[in-house]
Amino acid sequence: LTIDGTEIPAGVYISYQMDALSEAQSVLAEEQPDLDMTAEGFDFKKQTIEGVAAEEWVKNKTVELCRTYVASNRMFDEYGLSLTAEQKAELSAYVKSTWDEENMYAQYIYGYDTLGEYYETLGVGEKSFEAIQTVFTKQEALFNHIYGEGGELEVPAAELEAKVLSDYALIYSFQVDPAYGKAQDYVDKLNSGTAFPEVKQSYDQAVAVAEAEEAKKEAEEAGKEYDGTLPEDVVVAAVDEAALKSVVNVKDTTPSESYVADVFAMANGENKLITVSEESTAVDGTTSTTVSYYVVQKLDIAADADVMANYKDSVLYDMKSSELEETLKAKGAAYAVTENAAAIKLYTIDKLEK
């Protein structure tokens, strides 16, 4: 395959063919939710995706990805960009680890010691893999150059900050097992002025004491000598403040949509007990409800410089990544393509499906 004078290495083509097949399977699953692609006798090539024969769909998507590969390299050069020594070192280390380090996923799923070994069986060599990873890094650099600070299409910092504030919430939280006390009692401690890490430590202490009491009781009932820490001697460690912090996205659904809604309805500094009810149905058809209790304190995300910096990058990507993707796709779509039909026939998806 040659795109506007640039010959696509076989390994690069096959790698993008793998991506295209994966995307095709995802689209097919969306179109036919009840289709079992793992069923015996299932033939992917007999399917149609978006009205196109599956194999043709994969081929078209592969060519599209190859066009974008060329477009990315060229746009990177057109902007006069170059990879830093750090980026090159990270790329080299990643490629080397993929080829040289044992990988449990590769061993379990594919039966090969390393992912590199698996890729090579498909026809993707180390150089082709590195070429594709390099393009990913170039696309990231392009994105930052165009949309980042000082870029020609820079998104104003105020707009990014506003997006972070509307889409993300910073909280302290921990879950309370009612066997170890009333969850509301811990909220009351917060409202009385006790710091959140200290409140969490008091909960941990209650749990540890109760567990020690239970262990002591079991030993006594069994007629054995209890050799553990006495309940009155239990002392738990101080709680790591950072471990209590978490960032919630407005689109999150864990532990529930109602939980997320409650978090976003809270004011900064507010403490609240949030309950989450979940119904489950047993094999015999009977239903039961499980209630979980969360002690939550809403923090001022704007006051945390590190979190704001991290999530400004995230919202920038959310806002503009598809725009760059479409720009590169359009640039690639204008290129002339010359196919080596005989060679492409060799790159069937049969081997990739195994």
Side-chain angles (χ1 to χ4, degrees):
L1 184 70
T2 301
I3 297 179
D4 202 38
T6 298
E7 186 173 346
I8 304 298
V12 170
Y13 182 91
I14 294 170
S15 183
Y16 281 131
Q17 189 181 38
M18 292 167 64
D19 293 341
L21 176 60
S22 178
E23 185 174 344
Q25 291 168 335
S26 296
V27 175
L28 183 60
E30 291 176 3
E31 290 186 336
Q32 301 184 54
D34 297 328
L35 182 65
D36 184 1
M37 287 183 270
T38 64
E40 185 177 350
F42 174 80
D43 189 346
F44 176 79
K45 291 190 293 185
K46 291 182 179 179
Q47 307 301 313
T48 58
I49 302 173
E50 297 179 331
V52 179
E55 195 165 19
E56 185 67 16
W57 194 99
V58 171
K59 177 178 173 293
N60 293 341
K61 176 59 68 171
T62 303
V63 172
E64 178 187 299
L65 293 172
C66 288
R67 287 176 180 271
T68 301
Y69 168 86
V70 175
S72 300
N73 279 319
R74 290 191 180 176
M75 185 178 284
F76 185 83
D77 292 339
E78 288 165 5
Y79 274 105
L81 302 178
S82 59
L83 297 182
T84 65
E86 182 181 1
Q87 288 172 321
K88 291 177 181 178
E90 289 177 353
L91 272 169
S92 179
Y94 178 65
V95 173
K96 182 175 175 56
S97 67
T98 301
W99 247 254
D100 296 346
E101 294 180 9
E102 290 190 356
N103 184 288
M104 291 184 63
Y105 179 83
Q107 292 170 346
Y108 181 74
I109 301 296
Y110 304 123
Y112 295 97
D113 287 335
T114 71
L115 279 171
E117 185 180 355
Y118 166 66
Y119 290 145
E120 286 183 344
T121 65
L122 299 176
V124 181
E126 187 172 346
K127 287 186 177 180
S128 291
F129 181 79
E130 183 175 15
I132 289 176
Q133 299 308 313
T134 300
V135 161
F136 289 153
T137 303
K138 287 181 176 180
Q139 288 171 343
E140 182 181 356
L142 274 168
F143 182 85
N144 292 330
H145 181 77
I146 296 170
Y147 300 106
E149 186 176 352
E152 62 185 71
L153 298 177
E154 176 186 359
V155 178
E159 186 177 339
L160 293 176
E161 290 170 3
K163 185 68 172 172
V164 172
L165 295 177
S166 67
D167 287 4
Y168 295 92
L170 181 65
I171 62 171
Y172 279 140
S173 67
F174 66 91
Q175 186 174 353
V176 175
D177 185 332
Y180 304 114
K182 293 181 179 179
Q184 184 59 46
D185 289 346
Y186 296 103
V187 176
D188 293 341
K189 285 185 179 182
L190 290 170
N191 288 332
S192 69
T194 307
F196 201 96
E198 293 178 23
V199 172
K200 176 59 164 64
Q201 185 179 13
S202 70
Y203 171 71
D204 292 344
Q205 178 75 19
V207 172
V209 169
E211 289 177 343
E213 290 174 342
E214 182 63 24
K216 183 172 181 291
K217 179 181 177 182
E218 289 179 357
E220 292 172 347
E221 291 177 347
K224 298 179 180 179
E225 182 179 353
Y226 175 66
D227 57 0
T229 303
L230 293 173
E232 58 269 26
D233 294 333
V234 170
V235 178
V236 298
V239 178
D240 179 11
E241 181 180 346
L244 294 172
K245 281 185 180 180
S246 61
V247 176
V248 181
N249 184 280
V250 70
K251 295 180 181 179
D252 285 345
T253 57
T254 302
S256 74
E257 291 183 3
S258 63
Y259 173 94
V260 174
D262 284 346
V263 165
F264 275 85
M266 293 171 66
N268 289 336
E270 182 180 353
N271 305 304
K272 187 171 185 176
L273 170 62
I274 299 179
T275 60
V276 175
S277 299
E278 183 178 3
E279 287 192 359
S280 58
T281 304
V283 177
D284 62 4
T286 58
T287 60
S288 60
T289 301
T290 301
V291 180
S292 299
Y293 302 88
Y294 298 88
V295 175
V296 180
Q297 183 178 89
K298 180 85 168 281
L299 303 175
D300 182 3
I301 192 171
D304 193 313
D306 290 337
V307 172
M308 284 298 291
N310 289 336
Y311 283 88
K312 278 165 67 176
D313 289 342
S314 295
V315 297
L316 176 60
Y317 183 81
D318 290 342
M319 293 168 67
K320 295 297 183 179
S321 60
S322 60
E323 185 174 306
L324 177 60
E325 182 181 334
E326 290 303 316
T327 297
L328 291 170
K329 189 184 296 184
K331 186 178 180 68
Y335 296 151
V337 174
T338 303
E339 295 183 1
N340 183 332
I344 287 181
K345 283 184 179 179
L346 298 176
Y347 307 139
T348 65
I349 63 175
D350 298 323
K351 190 175 183 179
L352 302 181
E353 290 185 274
K354 294 179 181 179

